[in-house]
C-alpha cells in the first residue's frame, strides 16, 4: 500500500496487514514513516527519484512476508484493544 503516511492510512494498512510504502511530504507523515519502519510494517521512501523509488519498491516486495507478520501482531493488538473498550462501555 503506497501512502503519504497520514495517521489514518498507516492505521488502516496495519489493521489490514498490508505492507506499507510511505512517501512522507509534510507534518506528522515523517514521524509516521519512521514508526512504520521501526515496527517493521513497511519502508519509507525518503528521497523521491527513480533509483530510490525502484530500490525501495523492490525492497518492500522482497520483505512483504516480514512486514505482514509484524502488521499481523499489531493488528491483533488493535483489535483486542477495540474489543476491550467495547466490553467496558
Amino acid at each position: 500500500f503506497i501512502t503519504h503516511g497520514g495517521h489514518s492510512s498507516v492505521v488502516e494498512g496495519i489493521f489490514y496487514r498490508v505492507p506499507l510504502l510511505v512517501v512522507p511530504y509534510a507534518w506528522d507523515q515523517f514521524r509516521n514513516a519512521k514508526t512504520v519502519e521501526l515496527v517493521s510494517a513497511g519502508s519509507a521512501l525518503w528521497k523521491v527519484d527513480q533509483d530510490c523509488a525502484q530500490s525501495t519498491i523492490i525492497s518492500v516486495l522482497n520483505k512483504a512476508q516480514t512486514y505482514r507478520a509484524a502488521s499481523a501482531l499489531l493488528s491483533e493488538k488493535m483489535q483486542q484493544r477495540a474489543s476491550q473498550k467495547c466490553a467496558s462501555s
Side-chain angles (χ1 to χ4, degrees):
F1 174 32
I2 300 174
T3 175
H4 65 295
H7 177 76
S8 296
S9 299
V10 171
V11 169
E12 180 180 8
I14 291 171
F15 185 84
Y16 288 105
R17 303 168 184 193
V18 178
L20 298 169
L21 173 54
V22 183
V23 186
Y25 63 89
W27 304 296
D28 66 329
Q29 297 163 6
F30 295 97
R31 183 187 66 232
N32 295 343
K34 280 282 191 194
T35 301
V36 164
E37 290 185 328
L38 182 68
V39 300
S40 298
S43 290
L45 179 59
W46 298 108
K47 182 179 177 187
V48 180
D49 67 26
Q50 185 176 350
D51 292 335
C52 289
Q54 183 177 358
S55 64
T56 304
I57 290 167
I58 290 169
S59 175
V60 169
L61 293 172
N62 288 335
K63 296 177 182 176
Q65 290 303 96
T66 300
Y67 294 152
R68 284 183 210 271
S71 291
L73 294 173
L74 293 168
S75 179
E76 283 182 33
K77 289 181 182 181
M78 290 167 65
Q79 291 176 36
Q80 288 172 356
R81 290 190 105 184
S83 65
Q84 289 172 351
K85 286 183 180 181
C86 289
S88 65
S89 297

